[in-house]
Amino acid sequence: MQLTFDDDVERFRAEFSAFLDANLPSESQTLERPQSVSHMPQWARDWQRLLFDNGWLLPAQPPEFGGRNATVLQQFVHLDELCRRRIFHSFNPQGVNIVATSLIAFGTAEQKQRWAVPVLRGEMTASLGMSEPNAGSDLASLSTRAVRDGDHFVVNGQKVWTSGAHHADFLLTFVRTDPDAPKHKGISALIIPTKTQGLVCRPFADVASRDNLDFNEVFFDDVRVPAENLVGELNQGWRVANGSLGHERTMMWLLFADRLDNLIADCRPRTSVERDQYASMIMDYHALRALGSAALARAARGEVDTSSVSVLKLLGSEAERRAADVLLDTAGIEGLVHPVTGRYQHMNNDEYFASSFERYTRGIAATIAGGTSEIQRNIIAQQVLGLPRG
C-alpha cells in the first residue's frame, strides 16, 4: 500500500500551490459577493479567466478548454489544494463542472466554441435544468415537452430547484421529445438561453436564505429553441444526463470530507454525549478519506468502479448531515448568528457568511442533491449487492 504520491504528482501540486500564492485576489478585491451560483462579479470572472488561461481551471481537459491533460491523481491534488485552502476555482460551479464539461463531451464543435468556452472563460454563466415538481431524484420521470417544429423545438413545462437560473445566460435543459418511448429513452438535452421569449425564472427562498436567492422555478411557455441547440442525439439525453451527473460526482467524496472537516473544526462539544458524537464525526471523516482514497487508486489504475460512487455519496452526505446536526446542537442559540471569522477564506462563498443553522440546512440538503440517500441505497442494494427489487 502506497500512502503518498509520486514525485510528478507532488510537483504538479507544488506548481499549482505557487500559482495560487502568486495570484489569489486580495480580500479587498472580493468584497462584492456572488448573489447565486450563476452570478459572478467581475473579480470572479477575472479569477476564473486567469485559471483558464493558465490551465488550472479544469486540469483534466486539454489547454483549449482550460486544462493541461492532467492524470487522475493530478486532478485529485488540484482539488485537494483548493479544499485545503477553502477556495473556489469557479463561482459558477454548475456551469463549469457540469454544463461546460457535458458540452465538451457530447456537443458539436460549434456548441463547444459558442457555449462551453465562454462559460469556461467567465464570459457567460450557465445553470442546469433537470429537476421538476414530479421528477426530482427520478429524473427519468420528467414531463417538460419539446416538440419539433421545422428547424426549432417548442418547449412547454416547468423546472424547479434550478440554482442560479435568474442570473444564468443559458440552461442545459432536459426535455421529453418522445412521450411514447420508455421513460429513459425519450429524453433530449437542449441549450436554452434564458432571454428566450416564453421562458420565465422565478427565484424563491429556502429556509436559510437571507439576502440572496438561489433556487428558481423555471416556466416554459411555447419557448422556441433552434434545433442546432440539441446536445447529443435526439432521444439520447439520458446519456448526457448521466454524463452531467458523473461530472458532478467525480471526487465528490473529497468535497464531503472537506465540509466535514470544517464542521469538526467548528464544533465545541461540552457534554459527554456531545463528545461521543464529536468522536463519531472524526471517525466518519477518516472512514470517508480511506474509502475515497481506495476508490481514487482504482480510478488511477483505469478500473471502472461505479459502485463506489453511490457508496461514497451516501456515506459522505449522511456524515455531513449528522455532523451539521451536532454542530447546531453544540452551538445553542449562537447557532443562529452569522459570524465572519478569519478561518474562512474570502474566496469561499459557501462558509463565508454561514451560521451553524445555515450549515445544518445544507447538511440536510446534501442527502438530497445529486441523488437522495434513499435512491443511493436502492442503487447499492440492486446494482452492488444484487438484491431483488422490493
Side-chain angles (χ1 to χ4, degrees), residues 112-179:
K112 294 174 187 179
Q113 293 303 315
R114 182 179 177 185
W115 304 104
V117 171
V119 168
L120 296 175
R121 289 162 59 97
E123 298 164 355
M124 300 173 69
T125 62
S127 292
L128 190 63
M130 280 189 163
S131 296
E132 297 182 6
N134 295 310
S137 293
D138 185 13
L139 177 66
S141 296
L142 66 84
S143 58
T144 296
R145 287 286 308 277
V147 178
R148 186 69 181 261
D149 180 22
D151 58 357
H152 284 74
F153 288 97
V154 180
V155 180
N156 284 279
Q158 178 187 356
K159 298 292 180 179
V160 73
W161 312 114
T162 312
S163 298
H166 58 309
H167 288 128
D169 292 295
F170 69 93
L171 309 178
L172 179 60
T173 311
F174 291 84
V175 295
R176 187 160 300 284
T177 45
D178 186 351

Side-chain angles (χ1 to χ4, degrees), residues 253 286-296 298 308 311-312 315:
W253 66 268
H286 286 290
L288 184 59
R289 294 283 309 199
L291 289 173
S293 296
L296 177 69
R298 290 190 288 271
S308 67
V311 172
L312 287 166
L315 173 61

